[in-house]
Amino acid sequence: MTELTTATRLPDDGTRLRARLAQAAGGLPEPSARQRRARRRAAVTGLFRHILLIAFGLIMLYPLLWMLASSLKPSELIFREPGLIPTEIDLSNYTDGWNALVNPFSTYLLNSALVVLGSVIGNLVACSMAAYAFARLEFRGRNLWFAIMLMSIMLPIHVVIVPQYVLFSELQWINTFLPLIVPKFLATDAFFIFLMVQFFRGIPKELDEAARLDGCGHVAIYLRIMLPLALPALATTAIFTFIWTWNDFFSQLIFLTRPDMYTVPVALAAFRDSTGETSWGSLFAMSIVSLIPVFLVFLFGQKYLVKGIATTGIK
Amino acid sequence: MSTTDIPRRAGVPARRERRRSRAVSRGDGRAAALFLAPWFAGLILITAGPMVASLYLSFTDYDLLTPPEWIGPENYTRMFADPRFLNALQVTFTYVLVSVPIQLALSLALALVLDKGLRALPFYRSVYYLPSLLGGSVAVAILWRQVFGADGLLNQFLAVFGIEGQGWVSHPDYALGTLVVLNVWTFGSPMVIFLAGLRQIPQMYYEAASIDGAGRVRKFVTITIPLLSPIVFFNLVLQIIGSFQSFTQAYVVSGGTGGPADSTMFYTLYLYLKGFGSLDMGYASAMAWFLLLIIGGMTAVNFLASKYWVFYDD
């Protein structure tokens, strides 16, 4: 009743309220001339908004599309035509770029793939184990350890990189993939522990209690209940690990110095340094090749990416 | 625990009960030790151990080849007398303080536009989000160098309007600007976080405000901004920490030199050049610890300041 009196005092919102009441009562309101006008105006501003959003999106993506187009053009045309559609398609940039360095580019792709694969498996196994302990087990000092884990997320890698380098070179691990993979099996990407703890906490406790009554231990509960139910969180972890590791440059630059052990980013940087400004066409071609895996993961894993960012705020 | 225990448990004296629960927690403790073993090993060997070691190394002269030699706080005093270090500090602060606010303003503005119930939302969200996945890669940094090069894409556009541009990446006044643009270009990830935050605001508040006669501006200022402020804060802290550690972009755009004239010498790039270029590992460790102090300090300031502008609904 009070709502209605407010509505009569404020005629503008009154119509909306009355329309809502009519909808609630089951019948759709007859569109008045005024409502039709408002709707048309909304359609026009909506269209306007779409045009602006698309234009903005094009500006955002233009450099990427231009790089793709340029990689298909003969080098001398790249700087003469800024347009996106190449007048002639020329794949020689790709064949030139592929063989421009000491090793064929497939070597670097394979190296990157191995590092990524190891990192994904390591993160999935080690982070989910730690997350299970933090989410489900009672142990002394849990809150303290949890806080330490959270703080380690924010730790810049630069604070530990020098001693890590010393440690790994003592172990003769420089120019192997071990310095890049082994830490993942020790759950050093604490971001994913946090992500999975958040997810595990959302799984009803009754499920593990029921399993415990049936005689399951923690290992069985973790393997047979938590992991299958946490597939979305595992997918998010796998996808982000893939993209981050594929793009990672700093640690790969430090730990991999022998050309045949280069990963894609290190090889690209070396390519850029060795050819300078002369062969943009093949440099672009290999850059495109290096972006394709990330783009594919983005295309097929979008759902998990968006969910992952929304729940934890990771990049 | 088996089901037959339960009725008996009701009758046991309190002390036995306590001992029992301690036994249970010890049982969990053993499982926790198992599940946390990899993480714990990582914490000691990969994180905490190296942290302590680098703190020690920061007080030594160390070149990897000969044993570290204790020199006290000399690395730290050298840092503040090193013009290239002070320049790197200034470059990085400029980069963070310019690019992060622009990036957050842009991501918030687009999130607000996209939140208007567009059916094409997932499409736009993907298009705007893609650059933040690619922005940290070497490939995009290579592209950037070309876009802002002397005969690059930007100058081709300017030429259409009869403006003669210059080599933006090779000019000390503009090179840092191109990196700022690159960071702003990756506004997609804070935008997605903003979008998720906007979804959390109950629609009811807006309806109640309309009934009370509030206009769009009023609703934005009194509902959206306060309820979104924790998310703004979260994005701010995260982006500052992340941007301060930017490395790849500066390394690739400047060809690993931080040039022209040290204008893109990011803090982490200088750290890398000192540590792994000139093998001055003690100095690099001191820089790393100072970086930790800066990041910790900025985060602390952020948290203190947040009392005055972040609204927590509880």
Side-chain angles (χ1 to χ4, degrees):
Chain A
M1 236 11 246
T2 49
E3 265 197 334
L4 274 178
T5 51
T6 334
T8 44
R9 229 183 295 141
L10 296 161
D12 261 334
D13 293 287
T15 43
R16 252 187 70 192
L17 191 62
R18 242 175 282 131
R20 269 222 320 268
L21 286 174
Q23 255 172 328
L28 281 170
E30 289 276 303
S32 68
R34 202 171 130 200
Q35 275 173 321
R36 250 179 282 137
R37 232 182 356 248
R39 222 173 278 167
R40 208 175 312 134
R41 206 168 47 220
V44 171
T45 53
L47 185 69
F48 190 62
R49 190 183 297 142
H50 277 291
I51 291 172
L52 278 183
L53 286 171
I54 288 173
F56 187 72
L58 265 180
I59 295 173
M60 292 268 306
L61 295 188
Y62 196 90
L64 290 172
L65 297 172
W66 178 78
M67 178 158 73
L68 177 63
S70 301
S71 74
L72 296 168
K73 288 176 193 170
S75 275
E76 67 274 11
L77 282 184
I78 293 179
F79 301 115
R80 255 186 277 145
E81 5 172 278
L84 283 187
I85 296 151
T87 42
E88 49 180 311
I89 298 255
D90 181 4
L91 288 179
S92 66
N93 285 329
Y94 283 83
T95 50
D96 290 352
W98 198 269
N99 298 308
L101 290 171
V102 185
N103 302 88
F105 210 75
S106 51
T107 309
Y108 312 126
L109 287 168
L110 183 68
N111 288 347
S112 269
L114 286 173
V115 173
V116 165
L117 184 72
S119 302
V120 168
I121 295 174
N123 270 348
L124 286 178
V125 173
C127 294
S128 67
M129 283 173 64
Y132 179 78
F134 284 124
R136 281 298 202 259
L137 300 179
E138 296 285 338
F139 54 94
R140 209 173 301 159
R142 184 173 72 168
N143 291 340
L144 176 70
W145 293 121
F146 191 69
I148 289 174
M149 186 274 289
L150 285 183
M151 278 193 292
S152 74
I153 294 176
M154 292 299 164
L155 187 74
I157 184 185
H158 314 90
V159 181
V160 292
I161 195 80
V162 171
Q164 274 186 16
Y165 186 85
V166 176
L167 172 72
F168 293 140
S169 53
E170 290 292 321
L171 293 168
Q172 310 275 322
W173 280 7
I174 304 299
N175 282 316
T176 71
F177 301 138
L178 293 173
L180 301 167
I181 295 174
V182 170
K184 315 285 176 181
F185 278 89
L186 301 179
T188 47
D189 273 357
F191 239 136
F192 299 116
I193 303 180
F194 175 61
L195 181 135
M196 288 195 235
V197 167
Q198 297 291 86
F199 199 90
F200 286 171
R201 281 180 179 160
I203 297 174
K205 265 209 166 109
E206 288 78 14
L207 289 176
D208 2 346
E209 271 154 28
R212 204 167 310 153
L213 288 181
D214 288 345
C216 281
H218 284 296
V219 175
I221 294 173
Y222 160 76
L223 285 176
R224 295 209 216 138
I225 297 182
M226 299 304 260
L227 287 190
L229 287 174
L231 274 183
L234 298 178
T236 306
T237 300
I239 288 169
F240 272 106
T241 306
F242 185 106
I243 293 175
W244 287 354
T245 312
W246 188 270
N247 283 340
D248 173 40
F249 180 57
F250 187 72
S251 54
Q252 298 178 5
L253 179 71
I254 284 173
F255 293 127
L256 306 173
T257 52
R258 229 174 53 208
D260 62 316
M261 295 307 284
Y262 280 175
T263 51
V264 170
V266 185
L268 268 181
F271 187 10
R272 203 215 78 93
D273 291 342
S274 66
T275 61
E277 319 279 296
T278 49
S279 51
W280 282 110
S282 38
L283 196 51
F284 278 173
M286 291 306 103
S287 298
I288 290 287
V289 168
S290 82
L291 292 179
I292 288 173
V294 178
F295 184 72
L296 288 179
V297 167
F298 160 77
L299 213 58
F300 296 106
Q302 271 190 62
K303 195 176 83 182
Y304 298 112
L305 283 170
V306 169
K307 212 178 284 169
I309 314 167
T311 47
T312 59
I314 52 187
K315 246 188 179 175
Chain B
M1 171 208 326
S2 72
T3 36
T4 49
D5 280 353
I6 292 168
R8 235 193 300 145
R9 237 175 82 190
V12 295
R15 212 192 317 150
R16 252 189 80 193
E17 172 75 326
R18 214 179 306 134
R19 201 182 305 145
R20 217 191 108 81
S21 75
R22 209 183 299 150
V24 166
S25 82
R26 211 184 301 139
D28 258 12
R30 215 175 295 140
L34 170 75
F35 278 97
L36 284 177
W39 175 74
F40 206 75
L43 184 69
I44 303 293
L45 295 173
I46 310 289
T47 312
M51 255 181 98
V52 175
S54 89
L55 183 62
Y56 164 72
L57 287 179
S58 76
F59 292 101
T60 66
D61 186 13
Y62 182 44
D63 61 1
L64 274 185
L65 310 168
T66 47
E69 188 191 329
W70 182 267
I71 53 168
E74 200 185 299
N75 285 322
Y76 292 93
T77 50
R78 250 172 78 207
M79 252 159 56
F80 289 99
D82 177 357
R84 293 191 82 190
F85 168 81
L86 295 174
N87 169 67
L89 208 53
Q90 194 197 340
V91 166
T92 314
F93 265 107
T94 311
Y95 171 76
V96 171
L97 295 180
V98 174
S99 69
V100 171
I102 299 178
Q103 187 203 41
L104 289 187
L106 187 64
S107 60
L108 178 58
L110 274 153
L112 287 169
V113 174
L114 290 181
D115 191 47
K116 295 277 187 263
L118 293 172
R119 224 172 306 153
L121 169 70
F123 170 74
Y124 290 122
R125 191 175 52 196
S126 302
V127 168
Y128 296 156
Y129 179 54
L130 181 62
S132 44
L133 286 182
L134 307 179
S137 67
V138 170
V140 165
I142 285 174
L143 168 65
W144 228 248
R145 186 174 171 85
Q146 217 309 297
V147 168
F148 292 99
D151 43 9
L153 187 60
L154 178 66
N155 285 347
Q156 288 175 10
F157 263 111
L158 292 177
V160 173
F161 303 102
I163 304 167
E164 200 184 325
Q166 50 182 314
W168 306 96
V169 286
S170 49
H171 193 294
D173 289 346
Y174 300 110
L176 185 59
T178 66
L179 296 178
V180 168
V181 175
L182 178 51
N183 201 27
V184 171
W185 189 62
T186 63
F187 70 89
S189 61
M191 185 196 75
V192 172
I193 301 175
F194 278 134
L195 272 171
L198 285 169
R199 289 290 151 86
Q200 299 289 313
I201 301 177
Q203 210 50 41
M204 180 177 94
Y205 291 172
Y206 292 107
E207 284 166 15
S210 325
I211 289 169
D212 289 345
R216 281 169 63 181
V217 175
R218 184 81 195 278
K219 277 190 273 187
F220 178 70
V221 172
T222 55
I223 300 174
T224 312
I225 290 198
L227 289 182
L228 207 59
S229 60
I231 314 273
V232 177
F233 173 66
F234 178 77
N235 271 333
L236 185 70
V237 170
L238 223 62
Q239 292 300 329
I240 287 181
I241 293 176
S243 305
F244 216 94
Q245 297 174 52
S246 297
F247 172 79
T248 310
Q249 301 87 326
Y251 181 93
V252 176
V253 168
S254 71
T257 62
D262 278 359
S263 62
T264 57
M265 184 62 90
F266 280 179
Y267 194 100
T268 54
L269 181 53
Y270 191 51
L271 190 155
Y272 168 80
L273 291 178
K274 272 288 177 191
F276 295 90
S278 25
L279 293 185
D280 199 345
M281 294 288 188
Y283 194 81
S285 299
M287 275 189 75
W289 268 87
F290 192 66
L291 172 72
L292 187 63
L293 273 183
I294 297 174
I295 289 178
M298 284 197 301
T299 310
V301 167
N302 252 322
F303 268 92
L304 289 177
S306 75
K307 275 191 205 136
Y308 300 99
W309 64 275
V310 176
F311 173 81
Y312 288 103
D313 185 20
D314 48 26

